[in-house]
Amino acid sequence: MMYPFMTLNDETEIVHSDMQNDGRVKVYIERPDEKYGFKHAACWLPDYTWEDIYHFSEEEIKQFEEIIRSTAHLIIEFSQEGGFENASNL
């Protein structure tokens, strides 16, 4: 299951998975794009391994990694609680 985490001003969506049995959490990023449909990429926590990068530049990936690194503690916590809405009792 994937849970919404953050929407950036440019319509980039950041979502995350439940924590896997091996302790990893998948963070998935996508942005609508007129030319490609959607740009997307996935980053695995806690080791910040990137995969499936589709039409994001190296600079964009660096910016996303900064966002993910600054919020990783929250993403990991929420991944164990069923997402932000469950963790915050909304």
Side-chain angles (χ1 to χ4, degrees):
M1 177 134 199
M2 299 299 274
Y3 301 99
F5 180 67
M6 183 183 298
T7 303
L8 305 179
N9 289 340
D10 64 359
E11 299 183 37
T12 299
E13 294 282 338
I14 301 175
V15 300
H16 66 83
S17 70
D18 289 317
M19 183 172 282
Q20 307 298 299
N21 292 335
D22 63 1
R24 295 175 66 198
V25 177
K26 184 177 186 176
V27 179
Y28 185 79
I29 301 165
E30 73 175 15
R31 178 188 308 143
D33 184 89
E34 288 183 21
K35 184 175 181 180
Y36 302 110
F38 283 91
K39 295 180 176 184
H40 58 81
C43 178
W44 286 93
L45 298 178
D47 55 352
Y48 301 94
T49 302
W50 287 90
E51 66 181 23
D52 194 25
I53 299 170
Y54 180 75
H55 289 288
F56 279 126
S57 69
E58 286 184 34
E59 185 60 35
E60 288 171 310
I61 294 298
K62 287 179 187 177
Q63 291 172 351
F64 294 142
E65 186 159 333
E66 286 179 25
I67 292 168
I68 293 169
R69 283 186 181 274
S70 69
T71 59
H73 62 289
L74 295 172
I75 295 170
I76 290 170
E77 178 182 338
F78 297 157
S79 75
Q80 298 172 71
E81 302 288 333
F84 172 77
E85 289 182 3
N86 286 332
S88 63
N89 295 316
L90 293 177

